[in-house]
Amino acid sequence: MENRMKMEFAARAENEAFARAAAAAFVACLDPTIEELTEIKTGVSEAVSNSIIHGYGEDPEKMVELECRILADRKVVLLVRDQGAGIADVEKAREPMFTTGKPEERSGMGFTVMESFMDRVEVTSCVGEGTTVTMIKQLDVGDGF
């Protein structure tokens, strides 16, 4: 049986921590390992940061959406969606070290980090309409405790 939640929050840097905590709290019922929880929080953090910084140019009037789903097989699906600038070349944006921000402020490793912690990362984007990042994480089988 699937469980899910969806929420929206202002595109403000301080809400990145809120999104991380909300995703972690939602998947806590699965009793993930500390490592799994950290990976989920980091993936959400990177995706939310991208929406706030690159999607909206840090415009606090805009909204970021976070959707989390838990599937019956301990699979977690996380979606971060914005209606911002969009990405002209998704494949280029996924390359390590690529950034549209100031190189002295941004490492260009957001998608690389997401991909290293998740089992699958899908990015759909349309210039001027926004971006959706879908991250899938298969949790290990619990101990049954």
Side-chain angles (χ1 to χ4, degrees), residues 42-43 46-47 50 93 95 97-98 107-115:
T42 302
E46 292 294 336
N50 279 352
E95 291 178 8
M97 308 304 287
F98 177 82
S107 68
M109 296 297 289
F111 285 122
T112 303
V113 170
M114 286 180 242
E115 290 167 346

Side-chain angles (χ1 to χ4, degrees), residues 10-48:
R12 301 174 62 97
E14 60 263 34
N15 285 339
E16 177 190 331
F18 170 66
R20 287 170 53 98
F26 185 73
V27 301
C29 64
L30 296 175
D31 195 25
T33 65
I34 296 295
E35 182 178 357
E36 289 170 331
L37 205 51
T38 299
E39 291 170 349
I40 288 167
K41 288 166 54 176
T42 302
V44 167
S45 181
E46 292 294 336
V48 168

Side-chain angles (χ1 to χ4, degrees), residues 124-136:
T124 56
S125 190
C126 186
V127 174
E129 294 182 20
T131 301
T132 299
V133 176
T134 303
M135 298 172 284
I136 300 170

